[in-house]
Amino acid sequence: MVEEEEALPLDGNAHNKEIRETQKERGIKTRLWVFMLEPLYWLKMLAHELHWRFIFGVAIIYGTSQGLGGSLFNVSSDYYWKDVQKVQPSEAQVYSGVIGIPWIVKPLWGILTDVVPIAGYRRRPYFILAGLLGAASTLLLSLKKKVDVMFALLSMTAVSAGAAIADVTIDACAAENSMSHLSLAADIQSLCAFCSSIGQLVGFTISGFIVHQIGPKGVFGVLIIPFVLVSSVGILLKEQYVPNFAYKQVYPKFIDASKATFTTLKCGDVWRPCLYMYLSFALSLNIHEGMFYWITDPKAGPALSEESVGLMFSFGSIGSLLGLLLYQKVLKDYPYRGVLFWAQLLRGIIGMLDLILVLRLNLKLGVPDKYFVVLDEIVSKCTGRIKRMPLLVISSKLCPPGTEGTFFALLMSIDNFGSLTSSWGGGLLLHVLNVTRSKFTNLWLAILVRNIVRLLPLALLFLVPRSDPSSSILPAKITKAKEDEDVDKASNIELVSLIGSTR
């Protein structure tokens, strides 16, 4: 009896321990499911607040066109200039800047879709035309056997124009909803960045394999598919028909839109962050082509294959996604200046990884090239995304009511002009240091100069608003002036959002 009485508590303790372990295991599983389903709940909330057609448009434009299509285009372009056209890295760097010019003139596309309807519709024809322009240009590049450098450059620029035109309307929707849903401003930009990162991840993952199998010209043929989907956004869009449009009023409307934009830009609270955005991107000198030529060189560099390059860029997309998640979960409520300070500082420091790679110090540390370039790409893209997110939120909150599309396009063109300056500045740096297709002796010096220049925007943070993402940036006098304008006059320059036209 004594032994049995002593055994009972032991059995009871063992049973209680088993229950606690079972409950703990169930709790872990529950938290895991909640973590996995949280993005779905988040998307459901956004779809409920912003309309599901906006989510669809973002998924196609940002995810399929810019993300998937853009990553395939970037990788195939690198190999096209290097292996097909056989140009120098400094030339390829300049060409990449030229291809980005359609993104600099985005305000032109925004004003056109604002005030110049086609066949009675303001949005649908521009989506369809953007898709057709991109598809036709990629088809020419893929089918034409011998292509002159200038013809190839014009065709690639046309591809870029198709993507830029399609991007304007979605940008307008994002800006308009950020102004009407101030608490969701960061979430809206996170949604756009999330779709872009997922698209890039898929695109870069398969890019190396596709380039290896069918070559860069073959990849251009594949890019027809994303542009067809861009046209489908215009086909599915339900928009009010505008009969008997007075095209004689186009010029006055252009003037009105330009005046409204100029009035907003004159405000110090607006032009100061715009100046910072431009300088921040312009001072991040882009020497990507020099690095690309080096990592694929069989003698001087690691001689990475097409598959390895695609894999490297795909890990970069993962890094970008990690940066997005870090911003969304931890940093989105912090003041802009603090986030930008640490992001810019880290970008300058992390840029030294390229220097370690080029000087082959990673091999002395026992780290193989393929692992080191992946690490480099991940942390570089992660910090780059963290830096860009607060700038996007600021941009979305600087747009005056009634001209969200045009003004947001203007702000994005400022960013893109900064990127163009960065690309041409990097090309000039590579040329001055005599970095060519086969000479990489001074590549380390180009990396060092780039990293030092990257730290200069830290001295310009006083141009950035002190506020946080939950606050409004646009001065009250601008919004009040808009409210006091005549309704008919305001409607002439208003970019009707994709959401509003489908409800």
Side-chain angles (χ1 to χ4, degrees):
M1 282 295 292
V2 176
E3 293 180 355
E4 292 180 359
E5 291 175 357
E6 292 177 350
L8 285 175
L10 294 175
D11 291 340
N13 289 336
H15 180 65
N16 291 336
K17 183 178 180 180
E18 182 179 352
I19 292 176
R20 287 194 298 270
E21 290 179 351
T22 302
Q23 291 176 342
K24 184 178 180 181
E25 183 179 353
R26 289 178 179 175
I28 293 174
K29 290 181 178 180
T30 300
R31 288 193 293 270
L32 182 61
W33 273 108
V34 170
F35 177 78
M36 294 175 62
L37 294 176
E38 185 176 359
L40 297 179
Y41 291 131
W42 179 63
L43 287 174
K44 183 178 179 181
M45 180 272 295
L46 291 179
H48 175 73
E49 295 290 335
L50 306 172
H51 202 280
W52 70 269
R53 292 182 185 270
F54 174 69
I55 308 300
F56 173 76
V58 167
I60 294 298
I61 304 303
Y62 280 101
T64 304
S65 176
Q66 297 182 27
L68 176 63
S71 58
L72 290 174
F73 181 76
N74 289 338
V75 174
S76 60
S77 297
D78 285 339
Y79 279 102
Y80 181 79
W81 294 126
K82 177 177 179 288
D83 297 334
V84 179
Q85 296 292 348
K86 300 186 183 300
V87 301
Q88 297 294 342
S90 57
E91 294 178 89
Q93 192 69 63
V94 171
Y95 293 156
S96 66
V98 173
I99 294 171
I101 288 178
W103 293 85
I104 297 176
V105 296
K106 281 180 63 176
L108 174 61
W109 316 133
I111 293 178
L112 283 174
T113 57
D114 274 349
V115 302
V116 186
I118 299 176
Y121 293 99
R122 297 180 182 273
R123 310 294 162 248
R124 298 177 65 180
Y126 288 97
F127 274 112
I128 296 172
L129 289 174
L132 293 177
L133 176 62
S137 302
T138 53
L139 185 63
L140 283 175
L141 283 171
S142 63
L143 295 182
K144 198 172 178 61
K145 292 184 179 180
K146 294 183 179 180
V147 180
D148 181 74
V149 171
M150 287 298 103
F151 179 84
L153 184 60
L154 288 174
S155 297
M156 290 186 181
T157 305
V159 174
S160 180
I165 294 170
D167 176 75
V168 168
T169 302
I170 297 300
D171 281 349
C173 295
E176 187 179 63
N177 280 283
S178 294
M179 297 298 294
S180 60
H181 300 78
L182 288 176
S183 62
L184 295 178
D187 294 277
I188 292 171
Q189 295 303 324
S190 295
L191 172 66
C192 299
F194 176 78
C195 291
S196 178
S197 295
I198 293 297
Q200 288 177 0
L201 176 59
V202 176
F204 283 130
T205 301
I206 64 176
S207 62
F209 174 77
I210 296 179
V211 170
H212 179 74
Q213 294 296 323
I214 62 178
K217 295 183 68 174
V219 176
F220 291 142
V222 174
L223 289 176
I224 296 174
I225 299 174
F227 281 107
V228 170
L229 292 175
V230 169
S231 294
S232 73
V233 175
I235 294 173
L236 295 175
L237 176 65
K238 293 182 179 179
E239 187 178 16
Q240 184 178 2
Y241 179 70
V242 183
N244 301 322
F245 178 77
Y247 285 94
K248 293 182 179 180
Q249 298 299 318
V250 168
Y251 179 73
K253 290 178 181 179
F254 269 103
I255 298 300
D256 289 342
S258 300
K259 287 181 178 178
T261 300
F262 182 70
T263 301
T264 304
L265 278 176
K266 288 193 301 183
C267 178
D269 291 335
V270 176
W271 70 257
R272 281 192 289 266
C274 290
L275 178 61
Y276 176 83
M277 284 188 284
Y278 167 73
L279 293 175
S280 175
F281 286 104
L283 293 173
S284 296
L285 296 179
N286 187 347
I287 56 171
H288 166 77
E289 298 300 335
M291 288 298 299
F292 175 77
Y293 277 55
W294 180 79
I295 64 174
T296 56
D297 189 84
K299 296 180 180 179
L304 298 184
S305 64
E306 291 90 342
E307 291 88 346
S308 298
V309 170
L311 186 63
M312 176 188 73
F313 287 142
S314 69
F315 274 99
S317 299
I318 294 176
S320 179
L321 188 57
L322 290 175
L324 169 62
L325 293 175
L326 181 61
Y327 178 81
Q328 176 67 20
K329 290 293 184 180
V330 181
L331 303 173
K332 73 174 184 177
D333 295 322
Y334 281 81
Y336 302 117
R337 287 189 183 182
V339 178
L340 289 171
F341 173 83
W342 289 108
Q344 194 68 45
L345 180 63
L346 286 174
R347 280 189 59 79
I349 296 174
I350 288 170
M352 291 299 178
L353 291 175
D354 286 337
L355 190 62
I356 294 174
L357 181 64
V358 170
L359 294 178
R360 317 305 280 144
L361 297 179
N362 61 297
L363 297 179
K364 295 181 180 180
L365 297 173
V367 183
D369 289 326
K370 61 181 180 180
Y371 296 120
F372 197 83
V373 295
V374 165
L375 173 65
D376 186 1
E377 191 72 11
I378 288 176
V379 294
S380 176
K381 288 298 190 292
C382 180
T383 54
R385 177 62 74 179
I386 293 174
K387 170 192 170 181
R388 187 166 182 80
M389 289 306 300
L391 296 179
L392 288 173
V393 176
I394 291 173
S395 297
S396 67
K397 292 194 172 187
L398 291 177
C399 302
T403 56
E404 295 88 356
T406 300
F407 202 81
F408 192 82
L410 173 65
L411 295 177
M412 291 300 97
S413 71
I414 292 173
D415 290 356
N416 292 319
F417 186 58
S419 298
L420 173 64
T421 306
S422 168
S423 185
W424 284 359
L428 178 61
L429 180 63
L430 292 173
H431 178 73
V432 170
L433 296 177
N434 197 29
V435 177
T436 66
R437 293 175 54 86
S438 56
K439 292 179 62 178
F440 303 96
T441 307
N442 292 328
L443 183 57
W444 71 272
L445 184 57
I447 296 171
L448 184 61
V449 171
R450 179 201 66 182
N451 294 339
I452 293 174
V453 175
R454 274 184 177 180
L455 297 177
L456 296 181
L458 293 175
L460 304 172
L461 282 172
F462 67 92
L463 297 170
V464 178
R466 293 181 177 273
S467 58
D468 57 70
S470 62
S471 305
S472 177
I473 301 176
L474 199 65
K477 62 180 181 180
I478 294 180
T479 56
K480 186 177 186 302
K482 271 290 179 184
E483 292 174 357
D484 293 340
E485 286 182 356
D486 182 74
V487 175
D488 292 334
K489 182 178 179 181
S491 65
N492 287 336
I493 60 172
E494 181 179 7
L495 175 62
V496 183
S497 72
L498 176 65
I499 303 168
S501 63
T502 55
R503 282 180 175 171

